[in-house]
Structure formats: structure tokens, C-alpha cells
């Protein structure tokens, strides 16, 4: 998805510096960051961005690895705020947020426009998560929503959008499914 663009080069020519805690994401993302002009550094003090995964002890200011993926897939630096790891732990369990019609439409639209990937696999939903279009949703939540709610509704003819967008979507989803 990266068009050989130097996404992680600042206007003054310096590399964007990332600190990444040791994790499997670091091994996977380091070469991608470096190919895009960025640098992985070993200390937080001079880092432009600090990256960690959910299960790791991250203090304020850390971002999820999906920030890097979103920058690479869009070909430019994106707003980091949706990718912040929230270190505030509430005593109340987090209430699940219901999916909106707009989120449902965004999921179906993405599946239709990325029909080169099977909607039965994980990759398409990981790509959707990496775009940052639905920042409150994980790839596994997106996948489950599509498989358990949207696809059955499409197959029963219950889901409609303006124009023939949804009819085309149903045909394409049945073809790639």
C-alpha cells in the first residue's frame, strides 16, 4: 500500500523518530518505518512518537501500532489522537458502544471496495482498522459485526442504502464470499 513515499521524513529532512516497546509488532513494523524514512530509537526521551500494544505497561503519550499502519496506508502523517492508549483505568467496566448506521455503512463500503480480500478472513478487517476510519473499533469487532450482523442482513435483503450501492455490494460480497 506504500508508494515508496517518505511518509516519516519531516519538512526539514530529519527522520521521524519512533520508540517502540519490544513486541512482535516492532519486528514487523521496524522495516516499514525505515523504508518510509523513519527511525526506530531505543529511548523515549528523543522520540517523536512512542508506540506500545494494549497489553503492555504504557504511560501517557503512547500510541497503538495502528498509528504507523494508518500513516503508511494513507501515505502521510495522520492525526495521532485516535491512536492514543488510554491509561486511565476506570473502576466501572467500559460500556460497549452500539454500532451506528454510519459505521455499518463504512464497513460494507470498505468490504466492497477491497474485494480483492476475502470477507471471511482477518486481513480485510485489519486493513479497515489501520485506516482509522472507525477508531473506536478493533479489527475483531469489525469482523464480528460484519459476519454476525451485516452479512446475514444483506443476505435477507434487510439492509438498504441509497441508490444501487447496496445492491451492487450484495452482488460483489456474494461473489467474493
Amino acid at each position: 500500500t506504500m508508494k515508496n513515499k517518505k511518509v516519516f521524513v519531516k519538512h526539514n529532512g530529519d527522520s521521524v523518530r519512533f520508540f517502540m516497546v519490544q513486541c512482535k509488532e516492532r519486528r514487523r513494523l521496524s522495516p516499514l518505518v525505515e523504508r518510509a524514512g523513519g527511525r526506530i530509537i531505543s529511548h523515549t526521551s528523543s522520540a517523536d512518537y512512542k508506540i506500545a500494544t494494549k497489553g503492555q505497561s504504557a504511560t501517557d503519550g503512547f500510541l497503538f501500532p495502528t498509528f504507523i499502519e494508518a500513516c503508511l496506508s494513507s501515505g502521510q502523517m495522520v492525526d495521532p489522537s485516535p491512536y492514543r492508549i488510554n491509561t486511565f483505568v476506570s473502576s466501572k467496566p467500559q460500556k460497549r458502544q452500539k454500532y451506528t448506521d454510519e459505521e455499518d455503512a463504512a464497513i460494507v463500503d470498505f468490504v466492497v471496495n477491497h474485494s480483492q480480500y476475502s470477507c471471511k478472513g482477518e486481513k480485510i478487517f485489519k486493513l479497515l482498522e489501520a485506516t482509522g476510519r472507525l477508531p473506536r473499533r478493533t479489527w475483531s469487532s469489525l469482523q464480528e459485526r460484519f459476519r454476525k450482523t451485516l452479512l446475514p442482513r444483506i443476505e435477507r435483503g434487510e439492509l438498504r442504502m441509497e441508490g444501487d450501492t447496496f445492491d451492487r455490494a450484495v452482488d460483489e460480497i456474494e461473489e467474493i464470499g
Side-chain angles (χ1 to χ4, degrees), residues 6-17 36-39 48 77:
K6 296 295 181 191
V7 176
F8 300 128
V9 176
K10 298 176 189 177
H11 294 296
N12 66 3
D14 290 349
S15 294
V16 175
R17 295 174 311 247
R39 282 188 36 224
D48 297 303
M77 295 299 292

Side-chain angles (χ1 to χ4, degrees), residues 118-138:
S118 167
C119 58
K120 290 187 170 82
E122 296 173 356
K123 186 168 188 171
I124 191 166
F125 300 101
K126 288 180 178 180
L127 286 171
L128 176 53
E129 179 187 42
T131 66
R133 281 176 70 183
L134 301 165
R136 300 180 310 143
R137 308 295 182 184
T138 64

Side-chain angles (χ1 to χ4, degrees), residues 71-147:
C71 292
L72 293 171
S73 67
S74 69
Q76 62 186 1
M77 295 299 292
V78 299
D79 176 16
S81 54
Y83 304 95
R84 293 217 183 284
I85 295 177
N86 185 359
T87 55
F88 172 75
V89 179
S90 170
S91 57
K92 290 185 207 167
Q94 202 63 14
K95 192 175 179 188
R96 287 189 182 185
Q97 306 249 333
K98 289 187 175 183
Y99 272 84
T100 64
D101 291 342
E102 291 78 17
E103 287 175 314
D104 285 346
I107 295 168
V108 173
D109 179 63
F110 192 84
V111 169
V112 169
N113 289 312
H114 293 80
S115 58
Q116 69 267 35
Y117 301 105
S118 167
C119 58
K120 290 187 170 82
E122 296 173 356
K123 186 168 188 171
I124 191 166
F125 300 101
K126 288 180 178 180
L127 286 171
L128 176 53
E129 179 187 42
T131 66
R133 281 176 70 183
L134 301 165
R136 300 180 310 143
R137 308 295 182 184
T138 64
W139 72 265
S140 54
S141 172
L142 295 166
Q143 180 185 47
E144 185 168 315
R145 177 71 175 176
F146 183 78
R147 286 183 180 169

Side-chain angles (χ1 to χ4, degrees), residues 58-74:
T59 55
D60 287 332
F62 274 81
L63 304 172
F64 287 112
T66 50
F67 169 69
I68 292 173
E69 293 167 338
C71 292
L72 293 171
S73 67
S74 69

Side-chain angles (χ1 to χ4, degrees), residues 16-20 41 43-50:
V16 175
R17 295 174 311 247
F18 293 91
F19 170 81
M20 290 183 78
I41 60 173
H43 42 86
T44 59
S45 57
S46 61
D48 297 303
Y49 298 99
K50 300 177 286 185

